[in-house]
Amino acid sequence: MDASGERRWPVVVATPAHRGLIGPLSYRSELALSPGALVRVPLGRREVLGIVWDDPEDSIEPHPGERPVSAQLTGVAPLGVAWRRLVSFAASYYQRGLGEVALAALPPQLRDLSAEQLARRLRRRPGHDAPPTTSLGCAPPLTEQQQQALDRIEQEPGPFLLFGATGSGKTEVYLHAVSRALQSDPTAQALVMVPEINLTPQLLARFTERFGLDQVVAMHSGLTPAQRLRGWLAAHAGEARIVLGTRMAVFASMPSLRLIVVDEEHDPSYKQQEGARYSARDLAVLRGRLEGARVLLGSATPSLESWQASESGRYRRLEMPARIGAGSLPEVRLVDMNLQPRQTLLSSALLEAIGERIQRGEQSLIFLNRRGYAPVLACTACEWKSSCPRCSAFRVFHKLDRSLRCHHCGHAERVPRACPDCGNVDIAPMGRGTERLEEHLSELLQGVQGVGSDGQPRPVRIARMDADSTRGKGALEAQLEQVHAGEVDVLVGTQMITKGHDFRRITLVAAVNPDSALFSSDFRAPERLFALLMQAAGRAGRNAAQAASSQMWVQTFNPRHPLFAALRRHDYPGFAHGQLEERRVASMPPFAFQALLRAEAKTQQAALAFLQAAREATAGLPGAEYVTLYSPVPMAVQRVADIERVQLLVESDARPALQRFLAAWQPVLHALREPGMVRWAVDVDPLAV
C-alpha cells in the first residue's frame, strides 16, 4: 500500500478472447472493496463492469501506469467465494478467459448499467416480504417408488441419478425434494434446470402453484433484459428461493444453495456451443460439491457418461421403472419400409391407426426431425439444387412464405420462378420436412371424421409445432394449450414435441424417418436416436386408463437393427450396456477424454495451415506424451457464412493429462494466430466429433 492508501486490486473484466488475457487485470483504488464486489473500471476507451476477484496485492507497490477503479456498485452484495470458484474452474477446464466466463454469467443489463443507474433500479425494486411457502398440501400422494427415492435423497450424499420411466412421476420427486430442501433452512435455495426454453413455462407453472409466485424466478434467454436482471437480483439477494432455468442458470448467484436438479440430464442442449463451450450438467455436479448442495440428475434415458458413473458408484442410482397409476409403456410397432411402395411417406397401416384414434377422440403425435417443406429444391432438367451460396449446405424450401432459407447462416431468398441455370420452370421439392408432412396428412385424412365435444362429427384438426410455427411471441404456449384442451387431433413436429410434455390425450406416437442416425460417422448418434425415440414413446399413454392401447410406430428400412430391438423392449439398460462395451473396446468416451481445436478462416488453406502448425508445435509440451493428436479435417458443414471451418481432434486416456496439455498449448496457439486470418477455439468434451 502506498502513502495515499491506494491498493492494487485484481479485477476480472470481459477481455476479447483473441487477446490471450485469461486472468484478472490490476486496478488501483482507495475504496474499501472486498472480493466479489462489482465495480466499474476503464478498459481501453470504454468503462466496463468488473468483478474484484481476490484480496488486494498489499505487498506490491502500484505501478504509475495502472488505471483506477471508477466506481463500486454498492447496492449489490459481493459475489460469493463458491461462485467465484465455480467460474474459475469453468474458465480453466474449458480453456477460456476468466473474465469471459465470469461476465457472461451476469445479466446483460447489469453489465451495461452505471453505478447511479443501478442504484435507481434497486430503489424501484418491490419488496419481497411474502412468507416462503414450502407446504405441499395440494400434491398428489406419493407412490412407493417416489417415496423411496426421496428418502435416499435425504439420507445419502449423492450425486443422484434418478432413472425413471417416462410418466413415472420424476417431476413430483423434484417438487418434494425442493420442498424438503427449503424446509431444512429458512434461507435455503434450490436450482432446477431444464434443457430448453419450451419446457420452462409448464414447469414454472407447477412450481409457482406449489411454492408461490414470489418464491420462483425463471432464467433463460427468452426473457427480456429487464426480466433477467430482476430474476438475477432476487436470486443473488436470497429473496427468490427457487431458480428455474436453462443451462445459463448453472451460474446463477445463489448464496444459500442446498439442492440442484437437472431434468432430462441427457439432453445435448446442456452443452454450450458458442464462446465458453461448457456443459451445464457437469458444472452442476461440480457446483454441488463446491457448495455442499445435493445434486439430482433425472432422465428416462440417461447420458452414457452418467449411466457409467452410476455403474461405477460415483453416482447413486435411484430407479423408478413403473408409471404412475400402474400404466404400461406403449407397444412399439416397426414398419418395414422396404415392403412399402416407393416414395411412401406414411404406411397404410399407420394411417389406419391414426384414423382410429381420431374417431375415438384421441390424439396422435407424428414427428419428423426436419422443419420446412422440403430440405432441397431441384431442377428436373439439369443438376441445379438450392445450394446456399454462403455455406456448404442446401437451403430449405419453406412453402408458406415461398422462401429458400439456409438453417446455418440464415440466408434467405424468394423461390425462383425458373431454374437459375437452365431456365426450366419445372423445379420440384426433394425430401420432406414438417410443413410437407402436415400438408400430406391433411390430404390423406380428408375422409376421416373427428368427434366434437358435443359428440357430433367434425373435420380433422392437424397442428404443426416446430421452430418456425412457434417463432412468434406466445405462439408456443398457445399451441400447447390447444393440444392440452383437445383441440388438436394430430400434432406434427420436430423433436421439440417429443420431450418433457405431459400430453394426457395422446395414445399414438410415430417416427417417420429416423434411419439416418443409424449409420452416422458420429459415434454418439445411436445414443441420441435411442433417447429421442424413447422420449417420444413416453408421450403416449400418459393417461393410465388409455396406456394399454397406446402405441409407438417406427417406420424404418432397418427393422432388424439392435437399437430397435432394445426399443421394443423399452430396455435402456440393455442398450446402454451394449453401447458402453463398444466404446470401451474402441477407447471412446466415457473411457477416453477428448477436445477439439476448431479453426475458421476465409480460406480452407489458411485454417488448415494454422491447425497443422499448431499440431507441429506440440512437441515437448507438458502432457504431450499422453495425448494423441489427429490430422486436421474439414468439419461436417465445412463452410458457413463464407467462413471455412476445420477441426483437429485431441484425445487422451487421462483427463488430468489432457488438461495439462491444453493449458500449455494455449499460449502457443495465441502466438501462432495471425491477426485477421484465423479464429480458433477449443471445445473440451465435445458432443460432435
Side-chain angles (χ1 to χ4, degrees), residues 621-668:
L621 290 179
E625 66 272 28
Y626 300 110
V627 302
T628 301
L629 286 91
Y630 294 87
S631 298
V633 294
M635 292 177 62
V637 181
Q638 179 179 318
R639 188 177 78 259
V640 171
D642 290 324
I643 299 295
E644 298 288 338
R645 313 190 309 163
V646 184
Q647 65 186 26
L648 183 157
L649 176 63
V650 186
E651 202 169 66
S652 177
D653 291 335
R655 195 192 302 269
L658 179 61
Q659 281 290 307
R660 279 198 307 275
F661 170 77
L662 293 175
W665 207 17
Q666 281 279 341
V668 175

Short mmCIF file of all heavy atoms in Angstrom, two decimals, residues 621-668:
data_model
loop_
_atom_site.label_atom_id
_atom_site.label_comp_id
_atom_site.label_asym_id
_atom_site.label_seq_id
_atom_site.Cartn_x
_atom_site.Cartn_y
_atom_site.Cartn_z
N LEU A 621 5.57 -30.14 -25.01
CA LEU A 621 4.62 -29.51 -24.10
C LEU A 621 4.24 -30.48 -22.97
O LEU A 621 4.18 -31.69 -23.19
CB LEU A 621 3.35 -29.10 -24.85
CG LEU A 621 3.46 -27.94 -25.84
CD1 LEU A 621 2.12 -27.68 -26.50
CD2 LEU A 621 3.96 -26.67 -25.15
N PRO A 622 3.99 -29.97 -21.75
CA PRO A 622 3.58 -30.85 -20.64
C PRO A 622 2.34 -31.66 -21.01
O PRO A 622 1.35 -31.11 -21.49
CB PRO A 622 3.27 -29.85 -19.52
CG PRO A 622 4.08 -28.64 -19.84
CD PRO A 622 4.13 -28.56 -21.33
N GLY A 623 2.42 -32.97 -20.80
CA GLY A 623 1.30 -33.86 -21.09
C GLY A 623 1.24 -34.32 -22.53
O GLY A 623 0.39 -35.16 -22.87
N ALA A 624 2.12 -33.79 -23.40
CA ALA A 624 2.04 -34.14 -24.83
C ALA A 624 2.25 -35.63 -25.07
O ALA A 624 1.67 -36.19 -26.01
CB ALA A 624 3.07 -33.33 -25.62
N GLU A 625 3.05 -36.27 -24.25
CA GLU A 625 3.32 -37.70 -24.45
C GLU A 625 2.10 -38.56 -24.12
O GLU A 625 2.07 -39.75 -24.47
CB GLU A 625 4.52 -38.14 -23.61
CG GLU A 625 4.33 -38.08 -22.10
CD GLU A 625 4.69 -36.73 -21.50
OE1 GLU A 625 4.57 -35.70 -22.21
OE2 GLU A 625 5.09 -36.70 -20.33
N TYR A 626 1.10 -37.98 -23.44
CA TYR A 626 -0.08 -38.75 -23.06
C TYR A 626 -1.30 -38.44 -23.92
O TYR A 626 -2.40 -38.88 -23.61
CB TYR A 626 -0.42 -38.47 -21.59
CG TYR A 626 0.69 -38.83 -20.64
CD1 TYR A 626 1.41 -37.84 -19.97
CD2 TYR A 626 1.04 -40.17 -20.41
CE1 TYR A 626 2.43 -38.16 -19.10
CE2 TYR A 626 2.06 -40.49 -19.54
CZ TYR A 626 2.76 -39.49 -18.89
OH TYR A 626 3.78 -39.82 -18.03
N VAL A 627 -1.13 -37.64 -24.96
CA VAL A 627 -2.26 -37.30 -25.83
C VAL A 627 -1.97 -37.74 -27.26
O VAL A 627 -0.81 -37.87 -27.66
CB VAL A 627 -2.59 -35.79 -25.81
CG1 VAL A 627 -2.88 -35.31 -24.40
CG2 VAL A 627 -1.49 -34.98 -26.45
N THR A 628 -3.03 -37.97 -28.00
CA THR A 628 -2.95 -38.27 -29.43
C THR A 628 -3.57 -37.12 -30.19
O THR A 628 -4.70 -36.71 -29.90
CB THR A 628 -3.69 -39.57 -29.77
OG1 THR A 628 -3.12 -40.64 -29.02
CG2 THR A 628 -3.61 -39.88 -31.26
N LEU A 629 -2.84 -36.58 -31.16
CA LEU A 629 -3.36 -35.51 -31.99
C LEU A 629 -3.58 -36.07 -33.39
O LEU A 629 -2.65 -36.59 -34.03
CB LEU A 629 -2.39 -34.33 -32.07
CG LEU A 629 -2.30 -33.45 -30.81
CD1 LEU A 629 -1.21 -33.97 -29.88
CD2 LEU A 629 -2.02 -32.01 -31.19
N TYR A 630 -4.81 -35.96 -33.87
CA TYR A 630 -5.15 -36.46 -35.20
C TYR A 630 -4.93 -35.35 -36.23
O TYR A 630 -4.79 -34.18 -35.90
CB TYR A 630 -6.60 -36.95 -35.23
CG TYR A 630 -6.81 -38.17 -34.36
CD1 TYR A 630 -7.11 -38.04 -33.00
CD2 TYR A 630 -6.69 -39.45 -34.87
CE1 TYR A 630 -7.29 -39.15 -32.19
CE2 TYR A 630 -6.87 -40.57 -34.07
CZ TYR A 630 -7.18 -40.41 -32.73
OH TYR A 630 -7.35 -41.51 -31.92
N SER A 631 -4.92 -35.73 -37.47
CA SER A 631 -4.73 -34.75 -38.54
C SER A 631 -5.95 -33.85 -38.66
O SER A 631 -7.08 -34.30 -38.45
CB SER A 631 -4.48 -35.46 -39.88
OG SER A 631 -3.30 -36.23 -39.83
N PRO A 632 -5.74 -32.58 -39.00
CA PRO A 632 -6.89 -31.68 -39.17
C PRO A 632 -7.74 -32.07 -40.37
O PRO A 632 -7.22 -32.51 -41.40
CB PRO A 632 -6.23 -30.31 -39.38
CG PRO A 632 -4.83 -30.58 -39.79
CD PRO A 632 -4.45 -31.88 -39.18
N VAL A 633 -9.06 -31.94 -40.22
CA VAL A 633 -10.01 -32.29 -41.28
C VAL A 633 -11.11 -31.23 -41.33
O VAL A 633 -11.40 -30.58 -40.32
CB VAL A 633 -10.65 -33.67 -41.06
CG1 VAL A 633 -9.60 -34.77 -41.16
CG2 VAL A 633 -11.37 -33.73 -39.71
N PRO A 634 -11.77 -31.05 -42.48
CA PRO A 634 -12.90 -30.12 -42.55
C PRO A 634 -14.04 -30.61 -41.66
O PRO A 634 -14.24 -31.81 -41.47
CB PRO A 634 -13.31 -30.15 -44.02
CG PRO A 634 -12.10 -30.64 -44.75
CD PRO A 634 -11.41 -31.59 -43.81
N MET A 635 -14.83 -29.66 -41.12
CA MET A 635 -15.98 -30.02 -40.31
C MET A 635 -17.09 -30.56 -41.20
O MET A 635 -17.05 -30.42 -42.43
CB MET A 635 -16.46 -28.81 -39.51
CG MET A 635 -15.49 -28.38 -38.43
SD MET A 635 -16.01 -26.91 -37.53
CE MET A 635 -17.55 -27.45 -36.80
N ALA A 636 -18.10 -31.19 -40.59
CA ALA A 636 -19.19 -31.81 -41.35
C ALA A 636 -19.86 -30.80 -42.28
O ALA A 636 -20.11 -31.08 -43.45
CB ALA A 636 -20.21 -32.42 -40.41
N VAL A 637 -20.18 -29.61 -41.75
CA VAL A 637 -20.61 -28.49 -42.60
C VAL A 637 -19.38 -27.60 -42.73
O VAL A 637 -19.06 -26.82 -41.84
CB VAL A 637 -21.80 -27.74 -41.99
CG1 VAL A 637 -22.24 -26.60 -42.90
CG2 VAL A 637 -22.96 -28.69 -41.74
N GLN A 638 -18.71 -27.73 -43.84
CA GLN A 638 -17.36 -27.16 -43.99
C GLN A 638 -17.37 -25.64 -44.07
O GLN A 638 -16.47 -24.99 -43.52
CB GLN A 638 -16.73 -27.73 -45.26
CG GLN A 638 -15.34 -27.22 -45.57
CD GLN A 638 -14.80 -27.87 -46.83
OE1 GLN A 638 -14.96 -29.06 -47.03
NE2 GLN A 638 -14.15 -27.09 -47.67
N ARG A 639 -18.36 -25.06 -44.73
CA ARG A 639 -18.40 -23.61 -44.90
C ARG A 639 -19.72 -23.06 -44.39
O ARG A 639 -20.79 -23.56 -44.75
CB ARG A 639 -18.23 -23.24 -46.38
CG ARG A 639 -18.05 -21.74 -46.64
CD ARG A 639 -17.80 -21.43 -48.10
NE ARG A 639 -19.03 -21.46 -48.89
CZ ARG A 639 -19.41 -22.46 -49.68
NH1 ARG A 639 -18.64 -23.53 -49.79
NH2 ARG A 639 -20.54 -22.41 -50.36
N VAL A 640 -19.68 -22.04 -43.53
CA VAL A 640 -20.87 -21.37 -43.02
C VAL A 640 -20.65 -19.87 -43.13
O VAL A 640 -19.66 -19.35 -42.62
CB VAL A 640 -21.18 -21.77 -41.56
CG1 VAL A 640 -22.29 -20.90 -40.99
CG2 VAL A 640 -21.56 -23.24 -41.47
N ALA A 641 -21.56 -19.19 -43.80
CA ALA A 641 -21.49 -17.74 -43.98
C ALA A 641 -20.15 -17.31 -44.56
O ALA A 641 -19.52 -16.35 -44.10
CB ALA A 641 -21.77 -17.02 -42.65
N ASP A 642 -19.69 -18.04 -45.57
CA ASP A 642 -18.44 -17.75 -46.30
C ASP A 642 -17.19 -17.92 -45.43
O ASP A 642 -16.13 -17.38 -45.74
CB ASP A 642 -18.46 -16.34 -46.90
CG ASP A 642 -19.44 -16.24 -48.05
OD1 ASP A 642 -19.57 -17.23 -48.80
OD2 ASP A 642 -20.07 -15.18 -48.22
N ILE A 643 -17.31 -18.64 -44.35
CA ILE A 643 -16.17 -18.94 -43.49
C ILE A 643 -15.90 -20.43 -43.54
O ILE A 643 -16.79 -21.24 -43.31
CB ILE A 643 -16.43 -18.49 -42.03
CG1 ILE A 643 -16.66 -16.98 -41.95
CG2 ILE A 643 -15.28 -18.91 -41.13
CD1 ILE A 643 -15.46 -16.14 -42.33
N GLU A 644 -14.63 -20.80 -43.83
CA GLU A 644 -14.23 -22.20 -43.88
C GLU A 644 -13.92 -22.69 -42.47
O GLU A 644 -13.30 -21.97 -41.67
CB GLU A 644 -13.00 -22.38 -44.77
CG GLU A 644 -13.22 -21.98 -46.22
CD GLU A 644 -14.09 -22.97 -46.97
OE1 GLU A 644 -14.18 -24.13 -46.53
OE2 GLU A 644 -14.68 -22.57 -48.00
N ARG A 645 -14.33 -23.93 -42.18
CA ARG A 645 -14.22 -24.46 -40.81
C ARG A 645 -13.50 -25.81 -40.83
O ARG A 645 -13.88 -26.72 -41.56
CB ARG A 645 -15.60 -24.60 -40.19
CG ARG A 645 -16.46 -23.35 -40.38
CD ARG A 645 -17.73 -23.38 -39.57
NE ARG A 645 -18.48 -24.61 -39.76
CZ ARG A 645 -19.46 -25.03 -38.95
NH1 ARG A 645 -19.74 -24.32 -37.87
NH2 ARG A 645 -20.12 -26.13 -39.19
N VAL A 646 -12.47 -25.91 -40.00
CA VAL A 646 -11.63 -27.11 -39.93
C VAL A 646 -11.42 -27.45 -38.46
O VAL A 646 -11.47 -26.57 -37.60
CB VAL A 646 -10.28 -26.87 -40.63
CG1 VAL A 646 -9.44 -28.14 -40.66
CG2 VAL A 646 -10.48 -26.36 -42.05
N GLN A 647 -11.21 -28.73 -38.16
CA GLN A 647 -11.02 -29.12 -36.77
C GLN A 647 -9.94 -30.18 -36.62
O GLN A 647 -9.63 -30.92 -37.56
CB GLN A 647 -12.33 -29.64 -36.17
CG GLN A 647 -12.85 -30.92 -36.78
CD GLN A 647 -14.22 -31.30 -36.24
OE1 GLN A 647 -14.99 -30.45 -35.80
NE2 GLN A 647 -14.52 -32.59 -36.25
N LEU A 648 -9.38 -30.24 -35.41
CA LEU A 648 -8.33 -31.20 -35.07
C LEU A 648 -8.72 -31.85 -33.75
O LEU A 648 -9.01 -31.15 -32.77
CB LEU A 648 -6.99 -30.46 -34.96
CG LEU A 648 -5.71 -31.25 -34.67
CD1 LEU A 648 -4.50 -30.43 -35.16
CD2 LEU A 648 -5.51 -31.54 -33.18
N LEU A 649 -8.73 -33.17 -33.71
CA LEU A 649 -9.13 -33.92 -32.52
C LEU A 649 -7.92 -34.24 -31.65
O LEU A 649 -6.89 -34.71 -32.15
CB LEU A 649 -9.84 -35.20 -32.92
CG LEU A 649 -10.26 -36.15 -31.80
CD1 LEU A 649 -11.29 -35.50 -30.88
CD2 LEU A 649 -10.80 -37.46 -32.37
N VAL A 650 -8.06 -33.99 -30.35
CA VAL A 650 -7.05 -34.34 -29.35
C VAL A 650 -7.70 -35.34 -28.39
O VAL A 650 -8.81 -35.13 -27.93
CB VAL A 650 -6.56 -33.11 -28.57
CG1 VAL A 650 -5.40 -33.48 -27.65
CG2 VAL A 650 -6.17 -31.99 -29.51
N GLU A 651 -6.98 -36.41 -28.08
CA GLU A 651 -7.56 -37.49 -27.27
C GLU A 651 -6.54 -37.98 -26.25
O GLU A 651 -5.33 -37.99 -26.52
CB GLU A 651 -7.97 -38.63 -28.20
CG GLU A 651 -9.02 -39.57 -27.64
CD GLU A 651 -9.55 -40.49 -28.73
OE1 GLU A 651 -8.77 -41.31 -29.24
OE2 GLU A 651 -10.73 -40.35 -29.09
N SER A 652 -7.05 -38.38 -25.08
CA SER A 652 -6.17 -38.92 -24.04
C SER A 652 -6.94 -39.91 -23.19
O SER A 652 -8.16 -39.82 -23.05
CB SER A 652 -5.63 -37.78 -23.16
OG SER A 652 -4.84 -38.30 -22.10
N ASP A 653 -6.20 -40.84 -22.59
CA ASP A 653 -6.81 -41.79 -21.67
C ASP A 653 -7.00 -41.20 -20.27
O ASP A 653 -7.68 -41.79 -19.44
CB ASP A 653 -5.95 -43.05 -21.55
CG ASP A 653 -5.96 -43.87 -22.83
OD1 ASP A 653 -6.94 -43.76 -23.59
OD2 ASP A 653 -4.99 -44.61 -23.08
N ALA A 654 -6.39 -40.03 -20.03
CA ALA A 654 -6.43 -39.43 -18.69
C ALA A 654 -6.87 -37.98 -18.79
O ALA A 654 -6.24 -37.19 -19.51
CB ALA A 654 -5.06 -39.54 -18.01
N ARG A 655 -7.89 -37.62 -18.04
CA ARG A 655 -8.38 -36.23 -18.07
C ARG A 655 -7.32 -35.24 -17.58
O ARG A 655 -7.13 -34.18 -18.20
CB ARG A 655 -9.65 -36.12 -17.24
CG ARG A 655 -10.43 -34.83 -17.48
CD ARG A 655 -11.51 -34.62 -16.43
NE ARG A 655 -12.46 -35.71 -16.35
CZ ARG A 655 -13.60 -35.77 -17.05
NH1 ARG A 655 -13.87 -34.82 -17.91
NH2 ARG A 655 -14.42 -36.78 -16.89
N PRO A 656 -6.61 -35.50 -16.46
CA PRO A 656 -5.60 -34.53 -16.00
C PRO A 656 -4.50 -34.29 -17.04
O PRO A 656 -4.04 -33.15 -17.21
CB PRO A 656 -5.03 -35.17 -14.73
CG PRO A 656 -6.11 -36.09 -14.25
CD PRO A 656 -6.75 -36.62 -15.48
N ALA A 657 -4.08 -35.35 -17.74
CA ALA A 657 -3.04 -35.18 -18.76
C ALA A 657 -3.54 -34.30 -19.90
O ALA A 657 -2.82 -33.43 -20.41
CB ALA A 657 -2.60 -36.53 -19.30
N LEU A 658 -4.79 -34.51 -20.31
CA LEU A 658 -5.36 -33.69 -21.37
C LEU A 658 -5.45 -32.23 -20.93
O LEU A 658 -5.12 -31.31 -21.70
CB LEU A 658 -6.75 -34.21 -21.74
CG LEU A 658 -7.50 -33.44 -22.83
CD1 LEU A 658 -6.74 -33.47 -24.15
CD2 LEU A 658 -8.91 -33.99 -23.01
N GLN A 659 -5.85 -32.00 -19.68
CA GLN A 659 -5.95 -30.63 -19.19
C GLN A 659 -4.58 -29.95 -19.11
O GLN A 659 -4.44 -28.77 -19.47
CB GLN A 659 -6.61 -30.62 -17.80
CG GLN A 659 -8.12 -30.77 -17.85
CD GLN A 659 -8.81 -29.53 -18.41
OE1 GLN A 659 -8.57 -28.42 -17.94
NE2 GLN A 659 -9.64 -29.71 -19.42
N ARG A 660 -3.56 -30.67 -18.65
CA ARG A 660 -2.20 -30.09 -18.61
C ARG A 660 -1.74 -29.70 -20.00
O ARG A 660 -1.16 -28.64 -20.22
CB ARG A 660 -1.22 -31.09 -17.99
CG ARG A 660 -1.22 -31.15 -16.49
CD ARG A 660 0.04 -31.81 -15.95
NE ARG A 660 0.31 -33.10 -16.54
CZ ARG A 660 -0.23 -34.25 -16.12
NH1 ARG A 660 -1.08 -34.23 -15.09
NH2 ARG A 660 0.07 -35.39 -16.70
N PHE A 661 -2.01 -30.60 -20.95
CA PHE A 661 -1.58 -30.33 -22.32
C PHE A 661 -2.31 -29.11 -22.89
O PHE A 661 -1.69 -28.23 -23.49
CB PHE A 661 -1.84 -31.55 -23.19
CG PHE A 661 -1.66 -31.28 -24.66
CD1 PHE A 661 -0.39 -31.21 -25.21
CD2 PHE A 661 -2.76 -31.06 -25.49
CE1 PHE A 661 -0.21 -30.93 -26.56
CE2 PHE A 661 -2.60 -30.80 -26.83
CZ PHE A 661 -1.32 -30.73 -27.37
N LEU A 662 -3.62 -29.04 -22.71
CA LEU A 662 -4.39 -27.93 -23.28
C LEU A 662 -3.96 -26.59 -22.67
O LEU A 662 -3.88 -25.58 -23.39
CB LEU A 662 -5.88 -28.15 -23.05
CG LEU A 662 -6.52 -29.33 -23.80
CD1 LEU A 662 -7.97 -29.50 -23.38
CD2 LEU A 662 -6.41 -29.16 -25.31
N ALA A 663 -3.69 -26.57 -21.36
CA ALA A 663 -3.26 -25.33 -20.72
C ALA A 663 -1.91 -24.87 -21.28
O ALA A 663 -1.69 -23.67 -21.49
CB ALA A 663 -3.17 -25.53 -19.21
N ALA A 664 -1.00 -25.81 -21.51
CA ALA A 664 0.31 -25.46 -22.06
C ALA A 664 0.22 -25.06 -23.54
O ALA A 664 1.05 -24.29 -24.04
CB ALA A 664 1.27 -26.64 -21.90
N TRP A 665 -0.79 -25.57 -24.22
CA TRP A 665 -0.97 -25.30 -25.65
C TRP A 665 -1.52 -23.90 -25.92
O TRP A 665 -1.30 -23.32 -26.97
CB TRP A 665 -1.91 -26.35 -26.22
CG TRP A 665 -1.75 -26.65 -27.69
CD1 TRP A 665 -0.70 -26.35 -28.50
CD2 TRP A 665 -2.70 -27.35 -28.50
NE1 TRP A 665 -0.93 -26.81 -29.77
CE2 TRP A 665 -2.15 -27.42 -29.80
CE3 TRP A 665 -3.95 -27.92 -28.26
CZ2 TRP A 665 -2.81 -28.05 -30.86
CZ3 TRP A 665 -4.61 -28.54 -29.31
CH2 TRP A 665 -4.05 -28.61 -30.59
N GLN A 666 -2.27 -23.34 -24.94
CA GLN A 666 -2.95 -22.07 -25.15
C GLN A 666 -2.01 -20.95 -25.61
O GLN A 666 -2.27 -20.29 -26.63
CB GLN A 666 -3.68 -21.64 -23.88
CG GLN A 666 -5.00 -22.33 -23.64
CD GLN A 666 -6.13 -21.71 -24.44
OE1 GLN A 666 -6.05 -20.59 -24.90
NE2 GLN A 666 -7.20 -22.47 -24.61
N PRO A 667 -0.90 -20.67 -24.89
CA PRO A 667 -0.03 -19.57 -25.35
C PRO A 667 0.59 -19.85 -26.72
O PRO A 667 0.85 -18.92 -27.48
CB PRO A 667 1.04 -19.49 -24.25
CG PRO A 667 0.95 -20.77 -23.49
CD PRO A 667 -0.45 -21.24 -23.60
N VAL A 668 0.82 -21.12 -27.04
CA VAL A 668 1.35 -21.48 -28.36
C VAL A 668 0.34 -21.10 -29.44
O VAL A 668 0.70 -20.53 -30.48
CB VAL A 668 1.66 -22.99 -28.43
CG1 VAL A 668 2.10 -23.39 -29.83
CG2 VAL A 668 2.72 -23.36 -27.40
#
